[in-house]
Amino acid sequence: MKTITVNGNEINWEKDINIDDLLKKMNYTFKMIVVKIDGNLIKKNEYKSTIVYAGADVKVIHLVSGG
Amino acid sequence: MNIYKNKYNVDQIKENHKIIAEFKYDIKKLSLGYSNKTLHINLGKSKISSKEVSQEMKDKFTGGRGFNLKLLWDAVNENTKWDSPENEIVIAAGPMSGITQYPGTGKSIVCGISPLTQAPVDSNVGGYFGPYLKFSGWDAIELQGISKKDVIVYINGDEGLIQIIEAPKEDVNSHLISEQMCDIFAENEMDMKSIATVSAGQGAENSFFGCLNFSFYDRRRKVARLKQAGRGGLGTLFRHKKVKAVVCKFSSLNFNNNEVDNLEMIKEVGKNYHRELYEEDDKQCDMRHVGTAHLVEIMDDYDLLPTHNYKFGSDSKTPKISSPIWREMFTQGIPDGCWYGCSMQCAKCVDGYVLRTGPYKGDTVSVDGPEYETAAAFGANMGIFDPHFIVEANFYCDTYAIDTISFGTTMAFIMECYENNIINKEITGGYDLSFGNGEEALNMLHLMASGVGFGKTIGLGIRRLKKLFVDKYNADANFLNDIGMECKGMEYSEYMTKESLAMQGGYGLALKGAQHDEAWLIFMDMVNNQIPTFEDKAEALHYFPMFRTWFGLQGLCKLPWNDVEPADNAETEEPAKVPSHVQNYVDIFNSITGRKIDKNEMILQSERVYNFQRVFNLRMGFGTRTSDKIPYRSAGPVTNEEYLSREDRYDKQLQEKWNWNPKGKSVDERKNKLRQFREDAYQQLCDAVYKRRGWDNNGVPTINKMKELKMDLPGVIEVLKKYGQ
């Protein structure tokens, strides 16, 4: 089984999954986020077109809000 | 416009006024954000006097919360209790407060020895009072002593006049007295915007978590809006001093009352920020339409919304109290800033609400809020997923001056005690206080405000209730300490922390008690996994509390810092700090004061005051490692029901994080093992944070640290020596 890492946690990789779908899968609904794959910034308008490849190290950085 | 069945009689109120003391002063222009004087009112002796602000005071304490703590330190001694005459309510703005070119600059900070914690507490609040007070000539006001009769303190910043006025006929509850002060002290309706009032209602007289209401007149709605200095029972202290209202009148607001060093620079920074906010807010937090209530569904999605006294972090009924509901209920399209120039406009309001319970049943009112904390506390934590209950309870908490956070968290504790048969109908006076029972919760609120029955008992707050239930009803002290969500005597605000060790520290290590305004680290820690080691967490628990303390020194609101962010913030090295907004603050501070600080000096300004406050805690008899202890529910599941609700998560952690095989073990065995690991982790976190902050292993600032900060004042050193330094 191929995997990817999301915020340090290993999860199963799905073929052709894009960033938009990955965020839905992780239930990451907060809007103020920064997404990087292997250290490279993915802009918001690229979420649908960016396919996550097997073995990718994905960081979905939620920026501090609250209070 | 509010519509009352029984309208008050302004003439009758005025006829009963009697001036007890009067003080005249010369009105002078401010200088670089400071008035350089503070006002002292002794209510017991009916004396009014002024004090000079020295350069040393500005260098060491900066302003706002710093000034308050310095003045409070000088006023009290180590034996002072919250109800001692020498205790004070101190209110200040801060050098940046009152500029109108940048959002979130109208904050006041209030300090005093807290009825809940018996230690210094700070609470920040919007509205016009802080800026008006400063523009009237005062960087801070101290209210000391206890008046024999109910009084109003009136500051007329137009004429340079201060009066203490005997005030027997005013209503106490805030939605009324705030309007009455406008009726009495404004020349006409246009002038009502010149009146800012601080008040506290009857709930503050009869509970330990009374809040202060800071009002401003909303010309479009024709009502006095109420913003709260909620935490720590300062409203209780206010009414204990028999103050009905502190009123400041100031009608000469212009674009540069602060007499700043470089107005053009401030305008430029402000212009860029306003543009950014208009372009980004709808795509980000939507503060302009729903305020902080946007967080309800977000917290639920991440299992962070406290439900049933913090047992769980989400609930299937959350959509009933989520932001789409509030967007409908809040009046849209009306400017909603709580100070001039605030384009964030997050002070939302439910208008035309007809009250269905209590003394004002049938009246039509505008209700400020609910904000996130109130919606979460009343809706999810008490299990009452009914927006109309939330609005009704929000209105009454505000006008009675009861802190919505402490009320909600205490009620959630009471409900769990009720469902565990620790208390029953015999004790509650016949009321069924199960989770979800909104009608009975409102009954408790009205009883609390009236100082009657079990409602009054609930107003003791969780720390005192735990003792009462153990002493009187033989409750299990260990269980109550586990589920009673308070730290240092202050009830928790509304975030789940079980899966974020750093946020457990954010609450437990906060100086004043369990409030999240020092650090909100859950996403960084639990979701992003950005601060995995104890040292990483300690660094975050150094930087963010120091950075956020700075807002309190300056008279600023935290929200414009990071509830909207520049479009390119993601591309910066430290997006969580929002570097360009930090630079905005540095630039504006320098443009106001003429100084040349950088972002490091900014942190130093905070560190001076923060460490001083830690020493102040020690002076009042607490503030060591013992005081930083948290209830176990903050760290993990107390009951089997909680463990089983997230069984996979906990079992996985036992295996993967601590290499302990949960297979074949009972729930009790697994729960107890998890507790052992998590409690040990919290103590290791304390070790790391104390070290990072320059404190000893007992949480006491070292003399070297105070010297490094140039805060080795004689009184400070004397206290530290008593703690072995």
Side-chain angles (χ1 to χ4, degrees), chain B residues 501-502 504-506 509 531-539 541 625 628-630 635 657-658 673-693 695-699:
Chain B
L501 177 58
Q504 290 162 31
L509 296 162
I531 44 177
T533 68
F534 289 112
E535 288 70 28
D536 294 334
K537 294 181 205 306
E539 183 58 37
L541 282 166
R625 183 182 282 258
D628 295 335
K629 189 175 187 313
I630 54 175
K657 198 168 178 182
W658 288 294
K673 201 66 181 173
L674 187 74
R675 179 173 190 148
Q676 184 189 324
F677 289 133
R678 289 193 172 191
E679 287 189 328
D680 180 58
Y682 182 74
Q683 290 307 321
Q684 289 187 63
L685 177 75
C686 290
D687 292 343
V689 173
Y690 294 159
K691 187 178 172 190
R692 175 62 187 87
R693 289 181 180 175
W695 300 352
D696 73 9
N697 201 39
N698 197 26

Side-chain angles (χ1 to χ4, degrees), chain B residues 142-155:
Chain B
E142 297 170 82
L143 299 172
Q144 193 176 38
I146 299 169
S147 173
K148 292 182 184 66
K149 295 181 177 175
D150 278 331
V151 293
I152 290 168
V153 174
Y154 176 52
I155 302 157

Side-chain angles (χ1 to χ4, degrees), chain A residues 7-9 27-32 34 36 41 43 60-67, chain B residues 283-285 301-302 495 516 520 523 527-530 548 558 562-563 565 569-571:
Chain A
N7 288 352
N9 300 309
N27 201 27
Y28 287 163
T29 55
F30 189 56
K31 291 178 182 173
M32 294 167 72
V34 176
K36 290 183 178 178
L41 180 72
K43 294 193 172 176
V60 183
I61 304 302
H62 292 58
L63 300 176
V64 182
S65 186
Chain B
K283 293 180 272 180
Q284 296 181 11
C285 292
D301 285 346
Y302 289 79
Y495 297 100
H516 59 276
W520 197 92
F523 281 164
V527 183
N528 302 344
N529 205 10
Q530 278 177 296
R548 293 173 71 144
K558 163 263 166 193
N562 71 347
D563 280 71
E565 292 172 1
N569 186 51
E571 293 160 46

